Amino acid sequence: MVVKRDDRREEFQREKLRRSIHVCARKRPLPEGAIDAIVEDIERRLGSSDRGEVPSRVIGEMTINHLRDLDPIAYIRFASGYRQFVSVEDMLDDLAKLSYAALPA
């Protein structure tokens, strides 16, 4: 079960997650099957957990972590909806963190 922000509970819906990622990745040059691989990994990790309920924010963070590594534009699109940036500065801060993380060590 997924615990939503307003404390509602609903069953995990693989297709709902897939659609939300697909919307954020629209017109992005992602490798074939990348979205399905993300969904499968998240579903597998949730299934292997012994928790009966998982907060939706956990699923959101898992998705963000995958997208951050896969495509920065899809990542920021998803993050802007998921994190509900209040201002442009909030979004720019997140982009700066992404840019900093991408610098070679």
Side-chain angles (χ1 to χ4, degrees):
M1 293 299 286
V2 177
V3 181
K4 309 297 270 181
R5 289 181 187 182
D6 63 2
D7 279 339
R8 285 181 302 117
R9 282 150 173 76
E10 64 180 46
E11 285 189 45
F12 173 76
Q13 297 175 41
R14 173 188 177 91
E15 190 54 34
K16 185 175 180 181
L17 177 60
R18 187 183 182 295
R19 276 193 314 269
S20 67
I21 297 170
H22 180 74
V23 166
C24 296
R26 189 175 335 168
K27 296 186 180 183
R28 298 300 304 153
L30 301 183
E32 185 73 31
I35 293 173
D36 288 329
I38 292 170
V39 173
E40 287 171 16
D41 181 65
I42 292 171
E43 188 173 37
R44 180 189 52 76
R45 289 170 61 193
L46 293 174
S48 67
S49 169
D50 19 341
R51 298 178 355 186
E53 296 183 335
V54 62
S56 60
R57 66 178 164 71
V58 170
I59 297 170
E61 289 300 325
M62 289 173 151
T63 305
I64 281 175
N65 289 334
H66 277 288
L67 291 174
R68 181 184 302 122
D69 296 337
L70 183 64
D71 184 87
I73 301 301
Y75 158 77
I76 202 65
R77 287 176 180 168
F78 187 87
S80 68
Y82 172 72
R83 292 197 174 135
Q84 299 176 344
F85 296 128
V86 177
S87 68
V88 172
E89 289 78 23
D90 290 343
M91 184 181 284
L92 291 174
D93 286 345
D94 210 63
L95 284 170
K97 290 175 192 171
L98 179 64
S99 296
Y100 182 75
L103 291 175

